Amino acid sequence: MPAPQVRWDLSALFSSITDPKIAETWARAENAADAFAAKYRGKIASPDCTAELLAEGISELEALIQDAAKPGSYANLLFAVEANNPEITGFLQDQSEKGSGIRVKLFFFDLEIQAIGQDRMDAMLANPVLQKYKHYINQVRVSTAYTLSEKEEVILEETANTGVRAWVRLFEEVLAQHEFNFENPKTGSVDKLSESEILNLLRSPDRAVREAAGNGFSEGLGKLSHVLTYIFNNILLDKKIDIKLRDRPYAEHSRHMENELQKPTVDLVMRLCKEKQDLVARYYRVKREIMGLPELTHIDRYAPLFETKEQISYDDARTLIIEAFGQFSGEMSQRADEFFDKNWIDAEPRNGKTGGAFCSYNTPDTHPVIMMSYLNKMDNVMTLAHELGHGVHASLSRAQSYFNFHGTLPLAELASIFGEQVVFDRLVKEASEEDKLALYAEKIEGTFASVFRQAAMFRFEQRCHNLRREEGELNAEEIGAVWQDELQGMFGDSVKMGDQHSAWWSYVGHFIFAPFYVYAYSFGELLSMSLYSRAQKEGPEFEAKYIKMLEMGGSKTPEELMAFVGVNLDDEAFWLGGFEAIESMISTFEGLWAATK
Ligand SMILES: [Zn+2]
């Protein structure tokens, strides 16, 4: 079955990298930014600033930034499908430098918004002219209470380049340059592999391959142990200093503020993830039986059970997804179908395309697009459904202006996982018994990796940060012991985390470049599952609220958006709905396996 020859149409942005509209856009943005600075510099932080002036300024800024965002978006999209074309990489670099030139000119405006005293700001926000930008203003000001003097901020900003940012870069370079030894069990030769190549072999159906990959990976991390441990300690110390200087109440504080989530909400979800983690062992006991192994270890976690056999053409995938979406909501299926009709999807597998898949929202006055490589496999259908879930959200969010367009971070995966779930239910209904088992296994393992594994990693980070604050620098064994404890806890007695696994914390980039980011994955996945189970209970009434909520884009906080669909994020029962959905998938999986015996 041939792969689809479907490429996206980006003409809403530009026609090519030599399109004269690109230079025109930059010239326009350049002039507008200068005029903007001349008009507003010193006026916003001034006591004479009115709500009207602030609203006018934000609205001008929004139009300017939306316009100037287009060449960069265009370059990124071209790069995603032609990463090996030096003309494109040069073009991308050029656009990103021009973009940052514009940003520097506009930086003062946010600083002035931050400088407005809270009482005055509250009074201004009471004025209806600012209603539309309330969320934007609050986001700009989210860290104001923890901001130091301008001089101190400048020093921290400049020294971060030789401080925390230098450690992040060293981490990335060390891992990117390291070659892992893979002793190929079939040929006996020793291959030199990159991190992603050797990690990929942990998904091999051949246990000897997985074992060799596990050994080579552990050996490599062992060689890097000194530098990786030192880097992590510096990240822990950097956080400790940040907490002290800014008088933050706890380590993950800045992450919660960025995510616009309250500590009790996150703590509730993390507690439930720990309480419910015996679901993991329940699934892996069945997996061990299916694999016919006396014991599963860390190298068996992602071993494939079966490869799904059925092939699905791109056109059939379209029909399947549109019908499945349509059963939930006509609006959803229409929005998704527009992507096919108007060529907003690049699905053709071809050389030079980067891996993975994404939906780029672009701007509300153009349209979103999707990139993936469609190879007629069942998991491609799921990927397409996932990206179209994002796509429907982006399409509906075009009702908002640019600053309210992009979804808030913890809800970023809500519509995509929701879309995936709708299609998954449809796909398994029609699959053969063996394909069903494979589909469930993949879905369940994916859910575990997001929900329970990220929660365990969050607890690992919390414990390491606390230990560093209370007891000083940590050695690799101390960090490894915390890691083993949390990850073994997740799997219970179903999978044995061998000794070599104790070093596997050291390659996780999120611990280095985005401390505490990991819980957002757990939170987002569970939120989506919980919402999906709520949708099934409520029936058709839910649909209209859900669509309306997606239409609100990023104009409100996660709490406000969820309240709109009748969900209180602090309600334990709501979150338990998500765990019930996971449990129900495991029950089905157990039943399917029992029926084959
Ligand atoms: Zn996604």
Side-chain angles (χ1 to χ4, degrees), residues 188-332:
S189 66
V190 177
D191 305 332
K192 302 276 183 200
L193 301 182
S194 70
E195 181 197 343
S196 64
E197 285 170 330
I198 199 155
L199 284 175
N200 196 35
L201 291 178
L202 287 171
R203 295 176 183 270
S204 163
D206 183 344
R207 191 163 204 273
V209 169
R210 297 199 302 274
E211 198 161 19
N215 292 340
F217 187 55
S218 305
E219 180 211 37
L221 292 181
K223 283 186 195 152
L224 301 175
S225 173
H226 175 226
V227 64
L228 294 179
T229 305
Y230 189 67
I231 291 171
F232 189 43
N233 267 294
N234 275 305
I235 299 296
L236 298 176
L237 181 56
D238 181 71
K239 179 62 77 187
K240 178 181 171 175
I241 294 169
D242 177 69
I243 293 170
K244 193 181 76 184
L245 291 180
R246 298 181 190 277
D247 201 16
R248 293 189 186 280
Y250 51 90
E252 63 270 29
H253 178 257
S254 55
R255 181 62 58 200
H256 288 353
M257 295 191 80
E258 242 172 86
N259 287 346
E260 302 178 86
L261 290 172
Q262 306 298 320
K263 187 173 192 294
T265 311
V266 179
D267 287 351
L268 165 68
V269 178
M270 291 298 108
R271 172 171 66 79
L272 293 176
C273 284
K274 182 151 192 187
E275 281 173 18
K276 295 287 173 188
Q277 67 184 5
D278 51 355
L279 288 170
V280 177
R282 203 174 125 188
Y283 164 80
Y284 274 97
R285 281 194 278 269
V286 182
K287 179 165 182 174
R288 174 170 55 82
E289 214 182 294
I290 298 176
M291 291 177 76
L293 290 168
E295 179 183 64
L296 297 184
T297 75
H298 53 282
I299 61 165
D300 303 313
R301 281 174 296 175
Y302 305 118
L305 278 185
F306 318 98
E307 181 104 41
T308 50
K309 291 200 183 67
E310 199 190 334
Q311 297 244 309
I312 299 182
S313 74
Y314 186 70
D315 289 336
D316 287 346
R318 171 181 181 171
T319 310
L320 192 145
I321 292 170
I322 297 305
E323 275 179 23
F325 278 14
Q327 275 178 351
F328 173 70
S329 153
E331 182 76 36
M332 202 165 141

Side-chain angles (χ1 to χ4, degrees), residues 357-359 386-387 390 412-413 416-417 420:
F358 63 77
C359 170
H386 178 102
E387 298 311 333
H390 282 304
E413 292 300 327
S416 54
I417 299 170
E420 220 182 285

